[in-house]
Amino acid sequence: MSTPPAETPADKPAGHPAPELFTWEFATDPYPAYAWLREHAPVHRAKLPSGVEAWLVTRYADARQALADQRLSKNPAHHDEPAHAKGKTGIPGERKAELMTHLLNIDPPDHTRLRRLVSKAFTPRRVAEFAPRVQELTDRLIDGFAAKGSADLIHEFAFPLPIYAICDLLGVPEEDQDDFRDWAGMMIRHGGGPRGGVARSVKKMRGYLAELIHRKRLDPGDDLISGLIKASDHGEHLTENEAAAMAFILLFAGFETTVNLVGNGVYALLRNPGQRERLQASLAAGERGLLETGVEELLRYDGPVELATWRYAMEPLTIGGQEIPAGDPVLVVLAAADRDPARFDAPDTLDLARRDNQHLGYGHGIHYCIGAPLARLEGQIALATLLTRLPDLRLGADPDELRWRGGLIMRGLRTLPVEFAPVVK
């Protein structure tokens, strides 16, 4: 199959060279490059760090269309991949660990069946009932560093909070949760660590989940894995592989997004003191409205997911006037779409009270994030509690010293040093 060149004349207007993508400098602030792409090459064929070439969709209207376009498959079987690209799409290690049959990798009708089954176990009621536990975990983590007067908010707060929360929700026993924290730590470092290390962690997690699912079949509890096992639709049940893959992706997608929502959110608030003070005043008055719209704005402004997960053209199609050959990968750049001035007023300005905010931070269409209510709950509780308990929170390092994790899909800080007046109970 013939494919277009990586650069076309339209990609490089005279006097406007295309910005370099996926460098460390780009990771620090990708938004100027995305603004260039939106204007000059809104559907842009780029060579990724892995060597795979994919189309980047950067305008809001095109992104929203692509996210809901069922001609773009989630199944990697539709990737017309050359030999050098084998295994370089998706989550490292999931193919070898037989963890491919989850919601991010399948299409209808299997996607419809599995999502319906999972939805029965992952209800809004279950999420709402989980709020006291999230609050308890949040307070416990803050208690761990409040007396020091300083902390790394990523490693001491934003990272462990969703790990322990999702482990509780899935039904991972407390004595095993630190193992999950270690495996997740390797996965979240995948941008800067050896790919083989990630694959080993995924394999260990797969083995553990298989054993846990077997135990839950014999002795079910009131947890999400037990719910997945018991869930049925017209007599259909999840297979063992499907249950393991589903638990894996709920853990994987359910922790890293929240790590970045909290980390990026706190960082944005500290860089925008007027907005932060406004939110603190609202919280002090016992109001919730600004917190709720504020979390949505933080998801839009510098959200946890930079690019939506992989899609593959099942047939030739056109996005934003650009022809996409069958078999080509397509990556929707959520971070670019959510700062599109054609959709959002003053898109580069953080406005916690923004009302017209149909951001794409959790996707759109049938693959809209099933865990979004839990992530929102965790984000709201984490930010409100931090700003209330540590009212003078401030950055503990120059912003130029901070480093963002490498990687394609997620956007998050490696560390976030903060300082505050020590709180002694």
Side-chain angles (χ1 to χ4, degrees):
M1 177 183 301
S2 63
T3 57
E7 298 286 357
T8 68
D11 289 335
K12 287 193 171 184
H16 293 84
E20 194 173 357
L21 305 177
F22 310 119
T23 63
W24 289 112
E25 293 77 14
F26 168 85
T28 299
D29 183 10
Y31 296 104
Y34 288 149
W36 190 96
L37 289 177
R38 277 196 311 267
E39 182 176 355
H40 299 292
V43 182
H44 174 70
R45 188 174 173 85
K47 190 169 188 176
L48 309 179
S50 64
V52 177
E53 290 188 1
W55 295 96
L56 305 181
V57 180
T58 56
R59 287 180 180 168
Y60 182 91
D62 296 335
R64 190 175 169 92
Q65 172 208 325
L67 290 171
D69 193 331
Q70 294 198 28
R71 295 172 301 171
L72 288 172
S73 171
K74 298 292 291 173
N75 189 339
H78 291 288
H79 183 195
D80 183 25
E81 55 186 340
H84 74 272
K86 282 286 183 192
K88 291 184 178 179
T89 64
I91 299 167
E94 65 178 357
R95 295 191 188 199
K96 291 181 179 177
E98 296 185 314
L99 290 170
M100 295 289 289
T101 52
H102 56 67
L103 291 175
L104 294 184
N105 281 343
I106 55 174
D107 303 316
D110 285 338
H111 177 272
T112 309
R113 175 180 68 88
L114 288 184
R115 185 160 180 129
R116 189 183 298 126
L117 290 172
V118 175
S119 296
K120 291 182 178 182
F122 208 87
T123 62
R125 177 186 62 82
R126 184 183 289 273
V127 171
E129 289 174 348
F130 202 52
R133 177 59 176 157
V134 174
Q135 184 66 62
E136 179 186 338
L137 288 168
T138 300
D139 283 319
R140 189 178 81 194
L141 290 168
I142 294 175
D143 287 345
F145 58 76
K148 292 193 304 179
S150 65
D152 174 0
L153 274 190
I154 301 298
H155 293 282
E156 295 179 69
F157 184 67
F159 174 71
L161 173 62
I163 280 289
Y164 293 138
I166 199 72
C167 280
D168 278 359
L169 198 67
L170 287 170
V172 176
E174 195 166 339
E175 62 269 21
D176 296 339
Q177 292 185 6
D178 282 336
D179 286 337
F180 264 78
R181 182 173 176 171
D182 291 343
W183 297 330
M186 176 58 75
M187 291 162 66
I188 206 171
R189 289 192 296 272
H190 60 77
R195 196 174 180 89
V198 181
R200 283 192 294 274
S201 292
V202 170
K203 188 175 180 181
K204 288 177 182 176
M205 193 178 289
R206 170 69 173 90
Y208 177 86
L209 287 172
E211 181 187 332
L212 183 63
I213 288 166
H214 180 70
R215 296 206 311 258
K216 297 285 184 184
R217 283 194 192 280
L218 299 175
D219 184 20
D222 184 26
D223 55 71
L224 190 51
I225 286 182
S226 297
L228 288 173
I229 293 166
K230 290 184 288 186
S232 65
D233 183 55
H234 303 300
E236 291 183 296
H237 292 263
L238 289 170
T239 67
E240 200 102 336
N241 264 358
E242 287 172 341
M246 198 61 61
F248 166 73
I249 201 60
L250 289 173
L251 178 82
F252 183 84
F255 89 87
E256 193 169 0
T257 49
T258 306
V259 175
N260 296 345
L261 169 57
V262 175
N264 298 5
V266 171
Y267 182 62
L269 290 171
L270 295 181
R271 300 295 306 278
N272 292 268
Q275 292 292 305
R276 173 260 192 90
E277 289 161 11
R278 188 178 176 190
L279 179 55
Q280 284 179 305
S282 172
L283 292 169
E287 299 165 356
R288 297 278 303 179
L290 192 63
L291 176 65
E292 291 172 1
T293 60
V295 165
E296 298 310 304
E297 174 68 346
L298 293 168
L299 284 163
R300 181 202 70 82
Y301 178 77
D302 198 11
V305 184
E306 190 166 343
L307 284 75
T309 49
W310 295 83
R311 285 166 166 77
Y312 311 92
M314 291 193 291
E315 61 187 69
L317 60 121
T318 301
I319 303 175
Q322 175 66 58
E323 293 182 6
I324 311 289
D328 273 15
V330 174
L331 290 166
V332 177
V333 188
L334 305 178
D338 279 341
R339 291 212 189 183
D340 188 343
R343 176 60 185 83
F344 300 99
D345 292 333
D348 295 323
T349 299
L350 181 69
D351 178 8
L352 298 183
R354 189 184 295 269
R355 292 288 174 185
D356 181 18
N357 194 0
Q358 296 296 312
H359 65 77
L360 300 176
Y362 285 126
H364 172 65
I366 63 169
H367 290 285
Y368 183 84
C369 177
I370 199 169
L374 177 61
R376 285 188 168 102
L377 174 78
E378 291 174 345
Q380 289 175 13
I381 290 174
L383 292 172
T385 308
L386 269 177
L387 294 176
T388 301
R389 291 191 55 183
L390 307 175
D392 65 336
L393 193 70
R394 59 193 178 274
L395 273 175
D398 188 290
D400 291 338
E401 297 174 5
L402 299 181
R403 293 292 175 265
W404 296 79
R405 284 195 305 277
L408 193 62
I409 302 299
M410 300 291 184
R411 172 165 173 78
L413 287 161
R414 289 185 173 192
T415 61
L416 181 56
V418 294
E419 296 172 349
F420 46 86
V423 179
V424 181
K425 283 194 172 182

